């Protein structure tokens, strides 16, 4: 059996070939790319489990490649190689780790076969890739999604949303994962686009809604928490959406006013009239609407003004970079102000550091979500997390050690 798929990005053919032969000996399938465009093409197509990356290349440097991999939440185990000094490599490793990229290690060139062998072997032991996309499939098909629905393979993880002023949890966002019998945990970016294309997103959304709602209905807490569910634009062609969601709420005894439906990309909708009707009906039934990824280009000002949203979620790309980039900070600042002007609750997504949290507080952003508080967790872990984070000043997020935010997988 193959140990995994290794994708090598190195402009030095001899080095790439050396890495390939060692990997092949260890039972890996491999692919060599000498420039980034081809590399990202392979990443999308072949779902590598391991990536060997040269830091210094003419077309695009490895740091940029790492940043793009992080942006796409790519979860292959990464080995960084380079002839550049160890100090630089260490800095790269640290910054990659902060972005949540699983770096197995760094290989200062020239390296011997044993060093690489150790890292490829090590990779298998890394906590993230073994639980996440441990051996993802290159081609998920429509019938795989049917099997997933029939076999109850979708699970929902929950990420807390907290009030930035005191760290108190105000709710959770439901994020779907696919517990695949062979490939392990598959993340939404890997199958939601296909489900949207085939229309299977409709039954999948109902399944997620029911799973999340039955988990949520068991939580008793004062003041009551909110639950956010993601909708695709395809859901806004489904004329039964509002009635179906309301039925689930009634059955499970959850008031629609506690549900936030998060939306992006409504600009791409073909039948805008139907979509606006569906959104208005959801609002009339008491659901809250939230505009997701604001500023990313998919969510626009026009939608915000014309649709009955009650919350604005600032795209995480700005929040992640706001501590280093003055531009990002200014964008976050103006989105927060826009939200306040329109009477919307403002939420920052992608809060990873205390520094970002402090900046967001200064900018008077109200709510936050991100790895600094907690990663998405399975239902049981989310309940346990909630028990330790309460409406008491002494348990606010700031005072808690960061180790309490361990992901559940
Ligand atoms: P999203 O709605 O923008 O969800 C937030 C994503 O950011 C999640 O990725 C979450 O794990 C990640 N995230 C949270 N905090 C941080 C942080 O501090 N730093 C970084 N770097 N990332 C953070 P996830 O779970 O992989 O979901 C990806 C996307 O898939 C979601 O983006 C959403 O668009 C879509 N999705 C997830 N669940 C569903 C669903 O049930 N239905 C639909 N239609 N789409 C879903
Ligand atoms: Ca969302
Ligand atoms: Ca978002």
């Amino acid at each position: 059996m193959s140990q995994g798929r290794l994708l090598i990005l190195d402009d030095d053919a001899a080095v790439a070939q050396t890495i390939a032969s060692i990997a092949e000996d260890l039972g890996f399938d491999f692919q060599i790319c000498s420039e980034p465009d081809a590399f990202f093409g392979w990443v999308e197509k072949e779902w590598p489990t391991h990536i060997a990356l040269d830091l210094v290349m003419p077309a695009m440097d490895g740091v940029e490649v790492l940043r793009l991999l992080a942006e796409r939440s790519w979860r292959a185990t990464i080995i960084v190689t380079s002839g550049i000094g160890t100090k630089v490599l260490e800095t790269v490793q640290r910054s990659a780790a902060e972005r949540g990229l699983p770096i197995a290690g760094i290989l200062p060139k020239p390296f011997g076969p044993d060093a690489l062998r150790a890292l490829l072997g090590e990779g298998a032991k890394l906590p993230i890739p073994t639980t996440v996309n441990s051996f993802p499939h290159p081609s998920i098909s429509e019938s795989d999604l049917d099997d997933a629905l029939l076999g109850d393979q979708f699970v929902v993880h929950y990420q807390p949303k907290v009030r930035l002023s005191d760290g108190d949890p105000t709710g959770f966002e439901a994020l779907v994962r696919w517990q695949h019998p062979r490939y392990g945990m598959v993340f939404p970016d890997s199958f939601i686009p296909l489900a949207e294309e085939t229309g299977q997103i409709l039954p999948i959304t109902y399944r997620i809604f029911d799973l999340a709602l039955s988990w949520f209905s068991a939580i008793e807490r004062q003041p009551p928490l909110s639950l956010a569910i993601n909708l695709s634009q395809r859901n806004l062609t489904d004329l039964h959406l509002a009635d179906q969601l309301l039925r689930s709420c009634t059955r499970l005894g959850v008031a629609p006013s506690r549900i936030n439906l998060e939306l992006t990309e409504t600009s791409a909708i073909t039948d805008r009239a139907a979509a606006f009707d569906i959104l208005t009906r959801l609002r009339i039934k008491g659901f809250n609407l939230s505009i997701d990824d604001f500023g990313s280009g998919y969510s626009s000002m026009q939608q915000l003004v014309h649709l009955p949203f009650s919350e604005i979620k600032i795209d995480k790309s700005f929040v992640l970079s706001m501590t280093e980039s003055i531009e990002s900070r200014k964008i976050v600042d103006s989105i927060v102000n826009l939200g306040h002007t329109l009477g919307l609750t403002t939420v920052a997504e992608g809060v990873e550091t205390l520094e970002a949290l402090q900046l967001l507080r200064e900018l008077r952003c109200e709510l936050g979500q991100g790895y600094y508080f907690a990663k998405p967790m399975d239902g049981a872990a989310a309940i346990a997390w909630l028990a330790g984070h309460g409406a008491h000043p002494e348990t606010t997020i700031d005072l808690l050690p960061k180790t309490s935010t361990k992901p559940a997988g």
Side-chain angles (χ1 to χ4, degrees):
M1 201 187 98
S2 167
Q3 293 297 308
R5 281 180 295 279
L6 171 70
L7 186 57
I8 304 159
L9 176 57
D10 202 311
D11 62 316
D12 184 332
V15 174
Q17 199 48 61
T18 311
I19 297 177
S21 8
I22 295 169
E24 199 174 21
D25 283 350
L26 289 171
F28 282 83
D29 298 325
F30 68 87
Q31 181 67 41
I32 297 174
C33 302
S34 58
E35 50 86 33
D37 279 350
F39 169 79
F40 280 106
W42 277 104
V43 166
E44 302 290 334
K45 216 166 79 208
E46 286 293 322
W47 297 45
T49 56
H50 294 70
I51 287 171
L53 176 68
D54 183 11
L55 210 54
V56 188
M57 292 170 296
M60 184 191 281
D61 65 64
V63 176
E64 182 64 5
V65 172
L66 285 171
R67 191 185 65 77
L68 291 171
L69 285 171
E71 226 176 69
R72 293 166 195 205
S73 309
W74 202 261
R75 288 167 171 92
T77 299
I78 298 165
I79 296 164
V80 178
T81 66
S82 178
I84 214 163
T86 327
K87 257 234 135 58
V88 177
L89 283 174
E90 279 167 4
T91 315
V92 168
Q93 185 171 26
R94 249 198 311 277
S95 90
E98 298 231 322
R99 291 201 158 104
L101 284 174
I103 303 275
I106 49 179
L107 276 183
K109 285 180 190 173
F111 53 84
D114 287 347
L116 176 61
R117 236 175 249 132
L119 286 185
L120 280 172
E122 264 316 293
K125 285 185 231 125
L126 278 181
I128 299 171
T130 49
T131 53
V132 175
N133 275 353
S134 54
F135 200 112
H137 200 272
S139 54
I140 285 169
S141 70
E142 193 173 340
S143 73
D144 293 332
L145 288 175
D146 281 338
D147 292 346
L149 271 168
L150 281 171
D152 256 330
Q153 290 164 8
F154 292 114
V155 295
V156 183
H157 281 190
Y158 303 92
Q159 187 178 36
K161 210 184 212 178
V162 309
R163 189 161 50 228
L164 296 177
S165 59
D166 58 11
D168 270 1
T170 62
F172 287 92
E173 175 173 3
L175 296 157
V176 66
R177 277 97 182 81
W178 180 359
Q179 188 63 68
H180 197 286
R182 278 178 56 220
Y183 310 130
M185 195 74 92
V186 181
F187 278 74
D189 290 336
S190 309
F191 61 90
I192 293 283
L194 175 67
E196 287 171 340
E197 216 175 281
T198 61
Q200 287 159 303
I201 190 68
L202 304 187
I204 292 175
T205 302
Y206 289 132
R207 176 68 55 84
I208 295 160
F209 198 81
D210 282 351
L211 285 171
L213 214 62
S214 44
W215 171 81
F216 184 66
S217 64
I219 299 175
E220 277 175 31
R221 181 122 166 157
Q222 286 308 325
L225 299 175
S226 66
L227 175 70
I229 307 269
N230 290 283
L231 292 184
S232 295
Q233 51 136 326
R234 185 77 188 242
N235 291 113
L236 302 183
T237 59
D238 173 10
L239 296 172
H240 306 294
L241 186 71
D243 292 327
Q244 279 268 54
L245 297 190
L246 184 62
R247 248 198 303 279
S248 295
C249 282
T250 312
R251 185 163 47 84
L252 290 158
V254 176
S257 60
R258 292 174 62 196
I259 308 293
N260 288 342
L261 301 172
E262 298 193 358
L263 276 151
T264 45
E265 263 203 291
T266 49
S267 53
I269 284 169
T270 39
D271 190 348
R272 289 171 72 86
F276 285 15
D277 283 356
I278 292 167
L279 288 171
T280 310
R281 291 190 61 214
L282 285 167
R283 199 71 191 99
I284 291 170
K285 293 191 188 307
F287 293 100
N288 295 299
L289 302 179
S290 171
I291 189 159
D292 209 347
D293 304 336
F294 192 81
S296 67
Y298 291 116
S299 301
S300 75
M301 193 89 124
Q302 207 192 357
Q303 290 166 235
L304 202 57
V305 186
H306 291 314
L307 292 169
F309 287 108
S310 48
E311 180 183 90
I312 184 168
K313 291 189 94 171
I314 307 166
D315 191 58
K316 64 173 173 287
S317 60
F318 304 117
V319 180
L320 287 172
S321 56
M322 70 185 290
T323 47
E324 287 112 50
S325 153
I326 293 180
E327 289 75 24
S328 294
R329 205 174 315 161
K330 284 184 178 160
I331 292 169
V332 172
D333 188 22
S334 44
I335 299 178
V336 171
N337 286 324
L338 175 72
H340 290 163
T341 309
L342 296 173
L344 306 171
T345 306
T346 50
V347 188
E349 217 172 38
V351 185
E352 292 191 350
T353 60
L354 177 60
E355 206 185 343
L357 166 63
Q358 280 160 345
L359 265 173
L360 288 161
R361 277 179 174 159
E362 280 168 30
L363 299 179
R364 295 187 308 118
C365 180
E366 289 150 282
L367 306 180
Q369 204 181 314
Y371 297 165
Y372 179 73
F373 307 113
K375 291 199 171 179
M377 302 164 271
D378 64 30
I383 299 281
W385 182 93
L386 194 59
H389 296 79
H392 308 293
E394 66 274 16
T395 58
T396 53
I397 301 285
D398 262 356
L399 304 174
L400 284 164
K402 282 198 72 177
T403 47
S404 65
T405 61
K406 242 175 91 194

